[in-house]
Amino acid sequence: GAVVSQHPSWVICKSGTSVKIECRSLDFQATTMFWYRQFPKQSLMLMATSNEGSKATYEQGVEKDKFLINHASLTLSTLTVTSAHPEDSSFYICSARDQGGYETQYFGPGTRLLVL
Amino acid sequence: EDQVTQSPEALRLQEGESSSLNCSYTVSGLRGLFWYRQDPGKGPEFLFTLYSAGEEKEKERLKATLTKKESFLHITAPKPEDSATYLCAVGQLTFGSGTQLTVLP
């Protein structure tokens, strides 16, 4: 149980294009999903908290217009990196919290983004 | 502001050599301390949640303990497949920088 998937697992794109990453909770419903970014040999950096049916809450320093988050259902959240640039290249990881009430987050396998 | 500090940054053990990883934290109202394992290029894998001082949880060769200021992840007789980065987190949103564990055969 508590499986979270991400798609795609890796993506290469040209500078200026937009990339959409999907995060799905496969066997539970998640009212809250989180998006993280991780640079090599560094820990997770929270980007935003995604709540089903409402606007996402972004951490300080994260551009809302650059990283668009949509949480349209209890099992799906999407992160769109708009007008991607090489500095956006990173490992993006989502997590989901079971709405059953416990605090534990379950993480997806991550998406490696490379912007050329 | 919640803070999490993990030590050591890196640890190399021989197979079978038991040791402990440390996670020191400061938080305004603990809503759980979480341990995760992360393999290179993958998302973190949930290991344990601890909620109150004195609580202990075990899973195979791993045992997590919690006090009011820190948590330990004890690894008993580790195997090479235990090699990974171990992350702890508090309040769901604050992660430590991790301990990179390497177990040599």
Side-chain angles (χ1 to χ4, degrees):
Chain A
V3 178
V4 177
S5 70
Q6 274 184 250
H7 179 79
S9 56
W10 61 271
V11 58
I12 302 174
C13 68
K14 293 182 179 180
S15 184
T17 61
S18 294
V19 175
K20 180 185 283 188
I21 303 170
E22 291 187 350
C23 176
R24 294 181 184 270
S25 55
L26 298 184
D27 52 1
F28 66 100
Q29 293 185 324
T31 52
T32 304
M33 290 184 172
F34 304 90
W35 287 95
Y36 293 85
R37 186 172 179 175
Q38 187 175 36
F39 292 103
K41 297 189 177 182
Q42 293 188 23
S43 192
L44 302 168
M45 183 190 78
L46 180 68
M47 299 175 65
T49 302
S50 168
N51 296 296
E52 187 265 337
S54 63
K55 291 184 178 180
T57 303
Y58 291 82
E59 294 300 299
Q60 192 172 10
V62 178
E63 299 177 58
K64 301 179 182 180
D65 295 332
K66 177 125 184 104
F67 299 100
L68 301 179
I69 291 173
N70 182 277
H71 192 158
S73 75
L74 287 173
T75 60
L76 173 64
S77 176
T78 60
L79 167 68
T80 301
V81 183
T82 61
S83 187
H85 291 284
E87 58 265 30
D88 297 324
S89 300
S90 189
F91 191 49
Y92 292 88
I93 310 174
C94 73
S95 70
R97 188 163 65 197
D98 191 330
Q99 71 167 359
Y102 293 101
E103 298 288 339
T104 302
Q105 290 182 59
Y106 298 96
F107 286 84
T111 296
R112 175 87 47 200
L113 171 62
L114 177 61
V115 184
L116 302 176
Chain B
E1 182 181 341
D2 298 349
Q3 288 191 333
V4 178
T5 303
Q6 290 188 248
S7 62
E9 290 186 10
L11 181 63
R12 292 166 68 92
L13 300 172
Q14 291 292 326
E15 184 172 2
E17 179 186 1
S18 301
S19 188
S20 296
L21 312 182
N22 178 264
C23 172
S24 298
Y25 67 92
T26 55
V27 62
S28 55
L30 184 65
R31 294 174 61 189
L33 183 138
F34 308 87
W35 282 98
Y36 292 88
R37 168 192 171 130
Q38 186 175 26
D39 292 300
K42 296 186 178 181
E45 173 190 348
F46 170 71
L47 294 175
F48 304 109
T49 306
L50 302 168
Y51 287 103
S52 58
E55 189 175 359
E56 299 183 352
K57 289 192 176 176
E58 289 188 63
K59 179 181 179 180
E60 297 182 353
R61 295 177 292 281
L62 301 177
K63 178 180 178 180
T65 62
L66 182 66
T67 72
K68 289 184 178 180
K69 294 183 178 181
E70 58 191 351
S71 177
F72 291 94
L73 184 64
H74 306 278
I75 303 177
T76 302
K79 298 181 178 182
E81 53 262 42
D82 295 322
S83 297
T85 295
Y86 291 85
L87 299 167
C88 76
V90 295
Q92 288 292 294
L93 306 177
T94 304
F95 280 80
S97 55
T99 294
Q100 185 174 356
L101 173 66
T102 303
V103 181
L104 303 172

